[in-house]
Amino acid sequence: MANTLFTSRLGGVSSPPFDSFNLASHVGDEVVAVAKNREILASMIGLPRNQIFFMTQVHSNGVAVIDKDSDPQSAPTADALFTTTPGFALVTLIADCTPLLLKSKSAVAAVHVGRKGLVAEVFEATLKVFNQHGVSNQEITGEIGPSICRDCYEVDLGTYREVVSLNPAAATDESRRCLDVAGGLAARLKSAGIEFWASQLCVRHTPGYFSYRRDEVTGRQAGVVWL
Ligand SMILES: [Zn+2]
């Protein structure tokens, strides 16, 4: 059975502007506070800290496969983590981008899908790894967590047109140039035949979430999945 969790900014020990449940080590927060928050995450999900895996996210389509030989201290450079190992939790960190969790009976993945990841097709790359491990699309379900919404995510016109030409479902209104990344991702899941649930919360205009667009210097919340 697969389990999932989406965190908010509440429940941790970090000081402003990372208050309080910041799980990212690359944003300028105190190392000790992040370590404590990761311990809190471990106790929330009931797994030891050394069975929780993070990644160094670079807006790519890279997928890292985590297994018994993987080192929980080294966060591989990737935008998706995949595992078939029960009791290994995979984490995607976000503060506006769209967290996607994919799960089946025998494998799970945590995916970091922002605008660039949508264009780079990190979801499709992750799906391929499921398929290579003998899991068909029909056996997978998805969860799209809180991210910046279609009313909040304004980009320049060139970027808007590029993303929409590749992902028509990410379109809103060209005069406002706001992208619907979560909507674009949802359309990709639909066309792959994957059933999913999608959060309607916007991290930018909902209190209790980190948003880079709103605050710039801020923390990261997490999507977590494990077998
Ligand atoms: Zn919004």
Side-chain angles (χ1 to χ4, degrees), residues 147-152 202-205:
S147 62
I148 195 164
C149 84
R150 53 181 288 134
D151 296 322
C152 285
C202 170
V203 296
R204 188 173 183 181
H205 68 244

Side-chain angles (χ1 to χ4, degrees), residues 61-65 80-84 100 102 107-109 111 120-140 188 192 194:
N61 61 1
V63 184
V65 176
L81 294 175
F82 172 94
T83 196
T84 58
L100 169 66
L102 296 171
V108 291
V111 193
E121 302 195 342
V122 63
F123 158 63
E124 285 80 355
T126 309
L127 215 48
K128 214 168 161 184
V129 176
F130 274 93
N131 298 159
Q132 284 163 352
H133 285 77
V135 182
S136 69
N137 292 11
Q138 290 67 38
E139 297 172 87
I140 303 168
R188 296 291 188 91
I194 291 176

Side-chain angles (χ1 to χ4, degrees), residues 58-61 113-122 153 163 181:
V58 291
H59 301 281
S60 71
N61 61 1
V113 189
R115 163 175 60 82
K116 291 178 187 168
L118 187 67
V119 171
E121 302 195 342
V122 63
Y153 186 44
V163 174
V181 173

